Amino acid sequence: MRHPVFPWIIFIFTGFYIMALSYYAENREPSDPSYNFYDSTTVEIISHGLQELPEVYGQFNNILEGRRQIVAAKDIDSSRQKLVFRVNSPRPTKIYLNEEALEVILLPGDSSLKLYAKFTEDGKLETLDFKGSSSPMANYYWKKKERLRQQNIRASRHVVLTEGFEDYAQAVDSMAAKELVFLVEQEVFSTLPEWFVQFEKNEILYQKAYLKLSAAYNSQVDANLLDQVKINNQGAVFSYYYYLYLDAFFSHLQPKSSNVRMTTENSLTSNTKRNLTARNTKDT
């Protein structure tokens, strides 16, 4: 005859097992993002302080495509709007609220990001709050904008070369150094995921290298002023500037004595496509 205690023991162990699985599911480290050709990403904007909804649109680039895409917001109700993007990888994206630019990162398939914006009576952005799985990265971009203002590469990439290439290279190096210091600070004191820290580091370094290479178009420059960055870097495959740099290096970089030729942003070489395919196969 079965002992009456046995069913209770089984029930208790089953309960503990389910609790352990639930705890693991809630607290495990999120996996690195993978390619998803293509998936939708939705960002919701909730506005306060205005009689009418603000003008909202988004601007981004998908890797490998190269062309800038603009997405207009759709109204949900009197205070809410949404932006729907089609992205093929984690993409840094500019969102404009009444011409106030802010940056977020889009994750394929994610619809959790919400922007809570409070405006002044004259339509100026007063406060901003982020909620959702990518909110730590959005907060990082906002703090970076507040801290560095125009002293970052993305804001100053079109600086006129009034003093020649050497001064330009030094200015770009200085801005990149400030960005890297800020990234290290935020890595220590925030909840940025490890994959994003590496992504942002590659964005900074490869953008710097690409801009120098482009600025040296058809000029005689000291090779020591150009960046020596890693060519075969599967850890950088999410970076748009990584592909721009590879395109310059493999397709258009044709040194003659000490001359350096500039790249175009319109095409990507088969080498870069193979590199992306290799990473995509590895992730899957």
Side-chain angles (χ1 to χ4, degrees):
M1 186 176 76
R2 295 176 58 187
H3 199 284
V5 175
F6 287 163
W8 286 103
I9 293 176
I10 295 173
F11 177 78
I12 291 171
F13 273 104
T14 302
F16 276 117
Y17 179 69
I18 293 173
M19 289 173 62
L21 287 178
S22 300
Y23 178 83
Y24 170 76
E26 293 177 0
N27 294 278
R28 63 181 177 177
E29 288 291 326
S31 59
D32 288 353
S34 59
Y35 295 108
N36 219 336
F37 294 96
Y38 281 73
D39 208 344
S40 296
T41 299
T42 302
V43 178
E44 185 175 336
I45 299 94
I46 301 94
S47 302
H48 299 284
L50 295 174
Q51 294 184 350
E52 297 181 354
L53 288 171
E55 181 183 359
V56 176
Y57 64 96
Q59 182 177 292
F60 74 109
N61 297 79
N62 268 326
I63 53 174
L64 293 183
E65 292 180 359
R67 59 187 178 88
R68 181 176 300 171
Q69 302 183 49
I70 296 177
V71 176
K74 298 179 180 179
D75 298 346
I76 301 175
D77 55 33
S78 60
S79 63
R80 297 186 300 149
Q81 298 162 283
K82 68 177 180 179
L83 290 163
V84 181
F85 303 88
R86 291 283 290 176
V87 295
N88 59 13
S89 63
R91 302 307 322 134
T93 300
K94 289 282 185 68
I95 293 180
Y96 292 85
L97 308 178
N98 278 353
E99 299 306 319
E100 176 75 32
L102 57 102
E103 194 163 4
V104 300
I105 192 163
L106 303 177
L107 304 178
D110 177 46
S111 297
S112 66
L113 183 61
K114 291 180 171 57
L115 280 59
Y116 294 85
K118 182 180 179 181
F119 293 86
T120 61
E121 292 183 357
D122 58 352
K124 302 294 183 182
L125 183 62
E126 184 176 8
T127 62
L128 190 63
D129 191 23
F130 303 96
K131 301 294 183 184
S133 58
S134 62
S135 60
M137 291 81 92
N139 280 312
Y140 162 83
Y141 285 131
W142 185 250
K143 291 177 183 178
K144 180 178 179 180
K145 178 181 177 179
E146 292 290 297
R147 168 87 165 264
L148 301 179
R149 294 294 177 177
Q150 295 300 312
Q151 295 300 309
N152 69 82
I153 298 179
R154 290 182 189 174
S156 307
R157 58 176 297 182
H158 300 299
V159 173
V160 177
L161 306 182
T162 56
E163 301 297 334
F165 181 79
E166 183 174 355
D167 290 315
Y168 175 78
Q170 291 176 357
V172 171
D173 286 339
S174 176
M175 287 186 288
K178 292 177 182 178
E179 291 188 51
L180 291 171
V181 168
F182 179 77
L183 176 61
V184 171
E185 292 175 358
Q186 295 302 305
E187 181 183 9
V188 173
F189 298 108
S190 71
T191 57
L192 292 175
E194 183 178 347
W195 72 262
F196 176 79
V197 173
Q198 188 60 45
F199 167 83
E200 178 69 359
K201 180 180 179 181
N202 285 323
E203 282 279 275
I204 296 168
L205 293 178
Y206 281 100
Q207 184 177 18
K208 179 166 76 82
Y210 168 71
L211 290 177
K212 284 186 181 182
L213 197 59
S214 299
Y217 169 68
N218 211 24
S219 304
Q220 289 190 347
V221 300
D222 184 349
N224 293 323
L225 296 174
L226 297 175
D227 290 1
Q228 302 298 318
V229 291
K230 192 174 181 180
I231 299 298
N232 183 17
N233 188 357
Q234 292 193 16
V237 294
F238 290 145
S239 172
Y240 178 68
Y241 292 101
Y242 173 58
Y243 294 100
L244 291 182
Y245 181 80
L246 291 186
D247 188 38
F249 193 88
F250 289 116
S251 296
H252 300 279
L253 182 61
Q254 299 176 0
K256 297 179 181 179
S257 64
S258 58
N259 286 355
V260 181
R261 294 177 61 87
M262 179 181 165
T263 184
T264 65
E265 296 191 13
N266 295 327
S267 63
L268 289 166
T269 64
S270 59
N271 292 3
T272 63
K273 293 181 180 179
R274 284 198 298 270
N275 198 5
L276 174 60
T277 304
R279 173 61 185 268
N280 188 28
T281 303
K282 179 181 178 182
D283 287 343
T284 55

